[in-house]
Amino acid sequence: MERINTETYRVKEEVDLSQLATYQDFGASEKELKKALKNIRKDLGEFQDTMYAHGKYGVLLCLQGMDTAGKDSLIREVFKDFNARGVVVHSFKVPTPLELRHDYLWRHYVALPERGKFSVFNRTHYENVLVTKVHPEYILGENLPDVESVSDIDDAFWEKRYRQINDFEKHVAENGTVIFKFFLHLSKEEQRQRLLRRIHLKRKNWKFSPGDLEERKLWGDYQKCYEEALNKTSKDHAPWFVVPADNKEAARVIVASVMLEALKKYKDIKEPELDDKIKANLETFKQELEKESP
């Protein structure tokens, strides 16, 4: 299996999605990729245990991608070896009436990770510059004071949103949240095949929605919006990674590798030392327990 260079996928300069690969296999079989992921996720799980004991950082993992990009299965496979209490997944759907009575970032603020834990955003605050940009009429439901009609939603409006999102991420990063953002880069043909599988396989029928076909017709619009979001919001404290998603096994290995490599750089994350007084009396405590009758 070829070595994975995680920097290959980081957005460091302006990207053109049409020029980026949607398939990768590292010269490895499906079995080899699954084995590689198993080793990485074990290390990630152990890191989370240490991070929890350390208690000063949280990790936010943001996943974006077109329908069928593999977000759900990626979460399931990458976090399989985690303590169940160490990772919380949030799937953000259409805003509720309560959420619409707050600013668009409110529901994301309250879902940020506790110190010591991972939070996964399955679809994220970026929906507010993606689906709403493709369908600007959705913005009207937010009841904003400076938006009376779709004509009020101009370029300046979107620039303000990008700035607000950058400010949000910088704020949480400066307060101990490590941020990873992954765009699962799927080809239109692969999406077609995955949608067909949802129709052909009875056990997957429940996943299919006619709305998926309507959104598919807007593929070009979505790609343009993703491109702009990637280019305007990939920062050192909150980088975007464009992950080839046509091969689900390889995509999972890339995401897990990026996280593990970056988290290992936090040398201050260590298990806390025992209080000197307790440490000095460990032998006494051990003897006390060993003397107890079974």
Side-chain angles (χ1 to χ4, degrees), residues 63 66-75 184 186 194 245 248 252:
L63 289 176
M66 298 293 286
D67 290 326
T68 77
K71 296 181 292 295
D72 291 333
S73 60
L74 185 148
I75 294 167
L184 301 185
L186 186 73
R194 291 182 186 181
K248 288 186 176 183
R252 296 163 189 165

Side-chain angles (χ1 to χ4, degrees), residues 40-52:
I40 299 167
R41 72 186 181 207
K42 180 177 181 293
D43 289 341
L44 278 172
E46 291 175 353
F47 179 89
Q48 190 274 319
D49 284 340
T50 303
M51 190 178 76
Y52 182 82

Side-chain angles (χ1 to χ4, degrees), residues 236-272:
D236 288 342
H237 59 272
W240 273 108
F241 294 84
V242 179
V243 179
D246 285 3
N247 181 343
K248 288 186 176 183
E249 283 74 22
R252 296 163 189 165
V253 172
I254 293 169
V255 169
S257 297
V258 167
M259 287 196 294
L260 183 60
E261 185 175 309
L263 291 171
K264 279 184 173 180
K265 295 177 181 177
Y266 286 80
K267 301 301 183 184
D268 58 325
I269 299 180
K270 300 176 182 177
E271 292 180 357

Side-chain angles (χ1 to χ4, degrees), residues 20-184:
L20 298 182
T22 61
Y23 182 88
Q24 176 61 272
D25 62 14
F26 303 107
S29 65
E30 180 178 329
K31 183 178 180 180
E32 289 170 327
L33 289 167
K34 287 182 176 180
K35 183 178 179 181
L37 176 61
K38 184 177 180 180
N39 292 333
I40 299 167
R41 72 186 181 207
K42 180 177 181 293
D43 289 341
L44 278 172
E46 291 175 353
F47 179 89
Q48 190 274 319
D49 284 340
T50 303
M51 190 178 76
Y52 182 82
H54 183 249
K56 293 188 177 182
Y57 293 94
V59 175
L60 174 61
L61 171 65
C62 298
L63 289 176
Q64 286 287 163
M66 298 293 286
D67 290 326
T68 77
K71 296 181 292 295
D72 291 333
S73 60
L74 185 148
I75 294 167
R76 182 188 68 235
E77 295 300 323
V78 169
F79 292 97
K80 189 175 284 185
D81 290 340
F82 271 56
N83 182 316
R85 293 186 298 177
V87 57
V88 182
V89 179
H90 303 272
S91 296
F92 293 102
K93 308 295 185 183
V94 175
T96 66
L98 173 61
E99 290 167 344
L100 286 172
R101 291 180 67 84
H102 295 79
D103 73 271
Y104 70 94
L105 287 171
W106 176 77
R107 63 177 181 163
H108 304 287
Y109 262 113
V110 298
L112 288 171
E114 301 173 27
R115 300 190 193 283
K117 293 188 178 184
F118 281 60
S119 280
V120 181
F121 285 5
N122 182 354
R123 297 191 184 276
T124 72
H125 43 293
Y126 282 93
E127 292 293 291
N128 297 284
V129 290
L130 293 168
V131 67
T132 55
K133 197 167 185 183
V134 175
H135 299 282
E137 65 275 13
Y138 292 172
I139 294 290
L140 301 180
E142 296 182 24
N143 203 29
L144 297 172
D146 55 347
V147 177
E148 298 296 333
S149 68
V150 170
S151 63
D152 294 323
I153 307 170
D154 55 11
D155 289 345
F157 175 90
W158 297 115
E159 287 299 322
K160 181 169 67 175
R161 287 232 154 160
Y162 293 129
R163 176 184 57 77
Q164 290 166 345
I165 288 172
N166 284 328
D167 289 345
F168 163 65
E169 292 175 348
K170 186 173 183 180
H171 168 71
V172 299
E174 289 177 345
N175 284 275
T177 299
V178 182
I179 303 172
F180 297 99
K181 301 183 298 192
F182 296 99
F183 170 57
L184 301 185

Side-chain angles (χ1 to χ4, degrees), residues 178-236:
V178 182
I179 303 172
F180 297 99
K181 301 183 298 192
F182 296 99
F183 170 57
L184 301 185
H185 188 28
L186 186 73
S187 69
K188 192 174 184 181
E189 173 58 20
E190 180 63 20
Q191 188 198 57
R192 186 177 76 89
Q193 294 298 331
R194 291 182 186 181
L195 288 172
L196 282 171
R197 279 197 290 275
R198 289 182 177 182
I199 295 173
H200 291 321
L201 297 177
K202 190 173 181 179
R203 62 185 176 84
K204 290 185 177 290
N205 284 172
W206 66 273
K207 290 186 175 183
F208 180 76
S209 168
D212 294 340
L213 300 185
E214 293 304 311
E215 293 299 282
R216 179 174 165 79
K217 293 175 184 176
L218 301 170
W219 184 276
D221 294 335
Y222 274 106
Q223 295 299 298
K224 182 179 178 182
C225 289
Y226 269 113
E227 216 169 73
E228 188 166 7
L230 294 170
N231 289 327
K232 289 183 178 294
T233 63
S234 189
K235 308 295 181 181
D236 288 342

